Amino acid sequence: MPQPAPPQQPNLSVLRRQNLLALLQEFAENMVSAGAVTKGIEQAFAEKIQVSPSMLSQMKAGRPIGNKIARQIEVLCKRPAGWLDTQHPDQKPSPAEEAFVTLAREVWRSQNAKGKRELQQYVQSRMAKP
């Protein structure tokens, strides 16, 4: 039986976006727990990292985060240099990630041995693509 491929590091653009979203989620949770209303939280976060709300929206949607802005975000969010470029295994998964894992688990459990093998091969083939 073939061994599963080791997990690959996401590309830098994806990694920075994931970490930006984690910072935004942390910021929002802190604001809400302090009694803030949810409306305007993204704008407040954009102000904190000194970018326009439009730029934040673009970065969330996939616009690459360059080195200069990455270091700026790290400084303003009190993270060490390179934090945005590092995968953090202790990060909480996003609701979308949780929903996907739940769906994947349901599909996996509904398959016979052949179906599970095909699913595993498909996922491994996706991991091999840059």
Side-chain angles (χ1 to χ4, degrees):
M1 177 174 242
Q3 293 293 321
Q8 291 183 334
Q9 183 83 346
N11 74 40
L12 188 58
S13 208
V14 171
L15 192 55
R16 284 180 176 174
R17 184 172 64 253
Q18 289 172 342
N19 287 331
L20 174 70
L21 292 172
L23 288 172
L24 174 57
Q25 182 176 345
E26 178 184 301
F27 180 83
E29 289 172 359
N30 289 338
M31 294 288 288
V32 169
S33 69
V37 294
T38 55
K39 185 174 177 152
I41 286 181
E42 285 196 16
Q43 184 170 349
F45 183 70
E47 288 175 16
K48 175 181 176 144
I49 63 173
Q50 297 178 2
V51 300
S52 69
S54 173
M55 174 66 94
L56 175 59
S57 179
Q58 290 172 33
M59 291 187 300
K60 286 175 40 187
R63 178 182 178 151
I65 301 170
N67 291 332
K68 183 178 177 183
I69 193 78
R71 302 299 78 89
Q72 174 181 317
I73 292 168
E74 291 163 349
V75 167
L76 295 170
C77 291
K78 297 179 174 42
R79 296 297 193 278
W83 187 90
L84 279 178
D85 303 344
T86 307
Q87 196 163 24
H88 306 283
D90 59 332
Q91 263 179 7
K92 292 187 263 180
S94 69
E97 183 179 352
E98 286 289 356
F100 174 79
V101 170
T102 299
L103 177 63
R105 185 177 299 115
E106 289 174 17
V107 171
W108 176 265
R109 290 177 177 171
S110 71
Q111 299 298 307
N112 61 19
K114 181 182 180 213
K116 288 178 180 177
R117 198 168 36 252
E118 289 171 353
L119 282 169
Q120 185 173 1
Q121 289 169 349
Y122 174 74
V123 170
Q124 287 174 334
S125 73
R126 297 296 300 168
M127 293 294 294
K129 294 181 181 178

